[in-house]
Amino acid sequence: MKLNCQSTHIELTKGNRSHRKHARLRNRLADTIAEKGIHDEAVLMAVRSIPRHIFIDTALTNRAYDDRALPIGCGQTISQPYTVAAQTQLLEIKRGDKVLEIGTGSGYQASILCHMGADVYSVERHEELYHKAREILQELGYRPTLKLGDGTKGWSAYAPYDGIVVTAGAPVVPDDLIKQLNIGGRLVVPVGSKESQMMVRITRVSEDSYEEEQLQQFKFVPLIGEKGWD
Ligand code: SAH
């Protein structure tokens, strides 16, 4: 598969000085999402630590710590920080958990998961985003295992996972993902129309039984692929 999209300018060279400059803004962002209902301290710590501006075009740096989604090229977005935090909180991650993300995008969500001590696997279908995310994550010192391809079928080579998070909106819950959950594992996936989706959490309770919770309405870019949208 080769999907081309326009290049954006990402700056990796400023290093720690620029990261420190934004620390105050990151703290404020963490406080904002805490007020909106994020109580998992490990998630809030990750938001306080990770330089979100590094994941987006330099032209948008001054909006990097607003609680909003921003364009990352290829018609895709880095999710709103509250949304990233809400999905991560629903995963209930412990250090060492094996987590699969569908939709690497900018790599920001993957960095949050890595920061929390998860063993992270992430799939992206846009080649340019895949390469860019790989470069940024490496630069920041995170080592998730990344793949270019259609994530709607999961990543069976590394299954089962303690957590699976889909960061694009699915028309239905992709059944391959459910099958790749560990017993006790959680799948967090937005499901609905292209305009609006319900956040669904499916927990694998035993070999063949699952529990489903419907949580809150969100708006994601579409999950495109064999078990997603055309
Ligand atoms: N988690 C990302 C959010 C990116 S938006 C972040 O932190 O920035 C969702 C991403 O899902 C987009 O990059 C889109 O290209 C990707 N995507 C959509 N359908 C996909 C599929 N079937 N497999 C893998 N990635 C997919």
Side-chain angles (χ1 to χ4, degrees), residues 65-133:
Y65 297 100
D66 293 349
D67 188 21
R68 54 187 291 173
L70 292 168
I72 53 171
C74 304
Q76 306 303 317
T77 55
I78 178 171
S79 302
Q80 184 182 344
Y82 169 74
T83 304
V84 173
Q87 288 199 287
T88 309
Q89 180 166 277
L90 286 168
L91 284 171
E92 293 180 3
I93 290 171
K94 300 182 299 302
R95 293 197 82 79
D97 275 1
K98 195 196 276 188
V99 178
L100 173 65
E101 175 192 29
I102 309 303
T104 315
S106 66
Y108 179 70
Q109 167 93 62
S111 75
I112 295 268
L113 296 168
C114 288
H115 193 87
M116 292 172 71
D119 177 18
V120 180
Y121 298 79
S122 184
V123 186
E124 171 56 51
R125 65 184 286 273
H126 275 290
E127 188 167 1
E128 183 177 331
L129 296 179
Y130 159 81
H131 285 298
K132 215 184 294 174

Side-chain angles (χ1 to χ4, degrees), residues 110-178:
S111 75
I112 295 268
L113 296 168
C114 288
H115 193 87
M116 292 172 71
D119 177 18
V120 180
Y121 298 79
S122 184
V123 186
E124 171 56 51
R125 65 184 286 273
H126 275 290
E127 188 167 1
E128 183 177 331
L129 296 179
Y130 159 81
H131 285 298
K132 215 184 294 174
R134 171 179 290 279
E135 191 186 345
I136 294 170
L137 288 162
Q138 200 152 22
E139 172 78 14
L140 292 176
Y142 296 115
R143 298 278 180 274
T145 307
L146 303 181
K147 175 170 130 168
L148 176 65
D150 177 6
T152 59
K153 293 176 287 177
W155 195 350
S156 59
Y158 293 100
Y161 301 96
D162 303 301
I164 301 179
V165 58
V166 182
T167 67
V172 292
V173 178
D175 50 1
D176 289 312
L177 298 185
I178 299 181

Side-chain angles (χ1 to χ4, degrees), residues 13-57:
T13 48
K14 280 192 177 163
N16 290 332
R17 245 177 65 215
S18 143
H19 298 186
R20 276 202 301 275
K21 195 179 86 187
H22 293 92
R24 199 172 43 85
L25 295 174
R26 285 201 296 279
N27 282 327
R28 204 170 64 190
L29 174 60
D31 292 344
T32 302
I33 63 177
E35 278 163 26
K36 292 183 182 173
I38 303 303
H39 48 75
D40 184 328
E41 273 306 321
V43 175
L44 293 170
M45 272 308 293
V47 172
R48 287 184 208 282
S49 308
I50 292 168
R52 186 172 184 254
H53 67 281
I54 298 291
F55 293 87
I56 57 176
D57 192 286

Side-chain angles (χ1 to χ4, degrees), residues 178 181-185 202-212:
I178 299 181
L181 281 179
N182 224 335
I183 292 173
I202 295 175
T203 304
R204 184 169 200 170
V205 199
S206 68
E207 192 57 42
D208 49 13
S209 64
Y210 300 87
E211 217 168 72
E212 180 175 321

